[in-house]
Amino acid sequence: MSVPQREFVQQLEPVAGSLALSALVAALPLVTVLVLLGAVRMRAHRAGLTGLAVALATACLGYGMPAGQALSAAAQGALFGLFPILWIVVNALWVYRMTVRTRHFDVLRRSFSGLSADPRVQALVIAFCFGALLEALAGFGAPVAISAVMLVALGFSPVRAAVVALVANTAPVAFGAMGTPVVTLAQVTGLPLDTVAPVVGRQTPLLALVVPLLLVFLVDGRRGLRETWAPALACGLAFAAVQFAAANYVSAQLADIGAALAGAAALVAVPGARRPASEPVRNAVLTGARSEDLDVRDSRADVVRAYAPYALVVAVFSLAQVPPVKGLLARATRTFDWPFLDVAGPDGKPAGGNVFSLPLLATGGTLVLLAGVLTAAALGVRAATAVREWAATVRELRLAILTVTSVLALAYVMNLSGQAAAIGHFVAAAGAGLAFLSPVLGWFGVAVTGSDTSANALFGALQVTAARQSGLSPVLLAAANSSGGVLGKMISPQNLAIACAAVGLAGREGDLLRKVLPWSLGLLLVMCLIVVGQSTGVLGWMLP
């Protein structure tokens, strides 16, 4: 059958007829971004734009993609970065900013400090549970910065507060920013969200069982583990159970919100968790100065309003899952042929990128926007003030917006030109070893880019292609990319810099890295073994 003149057919071996050379050339955009970020220490948005330029040049010169189609692919990736990805992030961070402006965030902080006088339990409430809630709503460094500052206010030393905040920011990352990483993973791989999210939800909850125990050890060593293992385990179990249930049966966007609230509830329900720690414990752990405003007494009405934004987000997303409402929202989705793009895969079948879907209402960002409007009303924020806060949020995220759009544009160019497919076919030579290496690739991507979303955009399609060539489950390896990636978050230069800046340790990023790197590598090994087990009969029963 003759191929129409305007159609571009992807080639796996366009460079000298060699798969190895073709894969090497295809890797140039990724190598460029990673080197610029990791070695040259270039700002992320500049590295992303440079990598995009290399991807476009490679697509046109190395893979024969027409320039017009390559630019069209980049435009589609950039649009997806703006909507729905950044549409979610902007609106989620807007909700948080309104709580700060109205000082209800301070009320929430005092409410948490009153749950227990034991610093080990406080670390679990603030760094693990509240940090997960912030990750669910904002992500992009906010959980580490805010949790670390709150811990310092409670009397933790800056170094201990930063380490605890970094290590805690693991289990919720894959479903952070209202599920942005898994939504991106589903989009770039072409796998359904309700297929990918459940598998991620059968991997990261296992981390949630371990991390709370690790946190109390980091706070107070073996004594902390011996004396507070029960509340830590209860917190981890509740978090893991709800994250699993939400990701599999409710909504990936709600996974972290529900898990964070369940973890906190289970934590304070354990007998003894609310009792004050002995003075030797407090003196050994709390070596910093305690904030005086923690002694302020808030009214019950103020406490209720402080929790209202998070309750409203849960309510709006839950309502959106009701079948009649879900169907009504879906009617606003617009699907159309993407202009100036006509790509076929190596097998001659049309690529999924030829068609673009725009979910105007049935998307997390729009639902968060609605929750934000309700939040403004609940907190007494005037309409003009709310609009100014929204605009300020966009200004605050302007460089992150540029970074995300450029990285997703790069990913789309690589995917639609055939570069990702060539790398995937070459990597597939690892065979069964891919199951072990898959989380490592995600970990490396997040360690360099600082974002599970970006790592999924860069490596998601590659993982799927490699899996299909090696006979492994594409869904498993795609999920492993995201699940392994969350463990690279604590060692990413961006997160380390955020943690240091938040607690006044600027310039000591290297010290923090040395403290958290062993835990990052140890947990990564655990995740690699989990994925290997899930790829065989040992743990294969865990998969849907």
Side-chain angles (χ1 to χ4, degrees):
M1 181 178 69
S2 61
V3 178
Q5 186 66 34
R6 65 189 181 91
E7 184 180 54
F8 168 67
V9 180
Q10 298 174 355
Q11 302 296 317
L12 294 177
E13 302 176 353
V15 181
S18 167
L19 180 60
L21 287 176
S22 300
L24 186 63
V25 170
L28 288 176
L30 295 177
V31 172
T32 299
V33 173
L34 299 180
V35 169
L36 291 179
L37 282 173
V40 181
R41 297 185 182 277
M42 181 181 286
R43 298 287 295 274
H45 65 284
R46 293 176 180 170
L49 289 171
T50 305
L52 172 59
V54 175
L56 288 167
T58 304
C60 298
L61 301 178
Y63 279 73
M65 191 178 197
Q69 297 214 41
L71 290 171
S72 181
Q76 184 180 147
L79 177 58
F80 179 72
L82 291 172
F83 190 96
I85 299 305
L86 287 164
W87 181 236
I88 299 172
V89 175
V90 168
N91 290 325
L93 193 55
W94 173 55
V95 173
Y96 163 71
R97 284 180 64 99
M98 285 193 290
T99 68
V100 173
R101 183 179 181 86
T102 59
R103 298 190 180 279
H104 283 91
F105 178 76
D106 293 332
V107 176
L108 194 68
R109 177 165 59 90
R110 288 191 287 269
S111 174
F112 286 156
S113 70
L115 291 175
S116 175
D118 190 326
R120 299 162 300 192
V121 176
Q122 289 174 342
L124 293 175
V125 172
I126 292 172
F128 187 71
C129 298
F130 186 59
L133 194 59
L134 290 172
E135 183 68 38
L137 293 178
F140 291 90
V144 169
I146 295 166
S147 297
V149 168
M150 291 175 71
L151 291 174
V152 169
L154 289 173
F156 281 71
S157 70
V159 172
R160 197 191 304 264
V163 170
V164 168
L166 285 166
V167 174
N169 190 219
T170 48
V173 169
F175 296 101
M178 307 309 297
T180 297
V182 291
V183 170
T184 303
L185 183 64
Q187 180 70 20
V188 301
T189 59
L191 299 171
L193 178 61
D194 57 6
T195 299
V196 176
V199 178
V200 178
R202 294 164 192 246
Q203 294 171 343
T204 56
L206 299 176
L207 293 177
L209 298 175
V210 178
V211 172
L213 296 169
L214 176 56
L215 292 179
V216 297
F217 177 81
L218 289 172
V219 171
D220 194 30
R222 294 181 180 178
R223 177 177 57 184
L225 195 58
R226 184 175 63 253
E227 295 181 0
T228 53
W229 66 268
L233 186 59
C235 176
L237 282 170
F239 187 102
V242 173
Q243 190 183 62
F244 162 79
N248 279 270
Y249 307 114
V250 183
S251 165
Q253 287 89 345
L254 285 178
D256 280 350
I257 294 179
L261 296 175
L267 184 60
V268 298
V270 175
R274 300 188 59 147
R275 287 201 302 267
S278 63
E279 284 305 313
V281 171
R282 292 187 61 81
N283 293 338
V285 174
L286 303 182
T287 56
R290 184 176 182 273
S291 176
E292 294 181 358
D293 79 328
L294 293 174
D295 297 323
V296 173
R297 295 288 183 179
D298 298 300
S299 68
R300 178 169 296 183
D302 280 338
V303 173
V304 170
R305 279 194 291 270
Y307 283 91
Y310 310 103
L312 287 169
V313 170
V314 173
V316 168
F317 272 84
S318 299
L319 182 62
Q321 298 305 310
V322 176
V325 178
K326 190 174 184 178
L328 185 64
L329 295 176
R331 291 180 187 175
T333 299
R334 298 290 179 264
T335 301
F336 54 91
D337 292 333
W338 187 258
F340 310 112
L341 195 65
D342 189 2
V343 177
D347 57 1
K349 296 180 180 178
N354 294 336
V355 178
F356 190 78
S357 182
L358 201 63
L360 299 175
L361 297 180
T363 183
T366 303
L367 297 177
V368 176
L369 178 65
L370 174 58
V373 172
L374 297 175
T375 293
L379 300 184
V381 180
R382 299 176 61 183
T385 303
V387 171
R388 284 196 297 271
E389 285 297 320
W390 193 91
T393 302
V394 174
R395 286 196 299 273
E396 179 183 330
L397 291 174
R398 61 188 182 278
L399 294 182
I401 290 171
L402 192 55
T403 300
V404 172
T405 52
S406 62
V407 167
L408 279 160
L410 179 156
Y412 270 60
V413 171
M414 289 190 65
N415 294 344
L416 289 169
S417 66
Q419 296 175 62
I423 297 174
H425 279 71
F426 180 73
V427 172
L434 270 176
F436 186 88
L437 295 175
S438 183
V440 177
L441 190 59
W443 174 85
F444 182 70
V446 175
V448 174
T449 67
S451 165
D452 201 36
T453 298
S454 296
N456 286 343
L458 289 173
F459 299 133
L462 188 156
Q463 297 264 23
V464 168
T465 302
R468 286 173 176 155
Q469 291 301 308
S470 61
L472 294 171
S473 165
V475 177
L476 175 62
L477 293 202
N481 191 83
S482 192
S483 299
V486 307
L487 300 169
K489 189 90 167 179
M490 69 178 84
I491 64 167
S492 69
Q494 294 92 321
N495 249 23
L496 290 169
I498 288 170
C500 284
V503 298
L505 295 175
R508 294 185 58 185
E509 290 84 357
D511 294 339
L512 282 188
L513 176 62
R514 284 188 290 273
K515 289 182 177 295
V516 299
L517 181 59
W519 303 112
S520 177
L521 292 174
L523 291 172
L524 175 63
L525 177 60
V526 172
M527 181 55 65
C528 290
L529 295 176
I530 289 171
V531 174
V532 169
Q534 290 178 335
S535 70
T536 66
V538 178
L539 295 178
W541 53 269
M542 293 179 62
L543 301 180

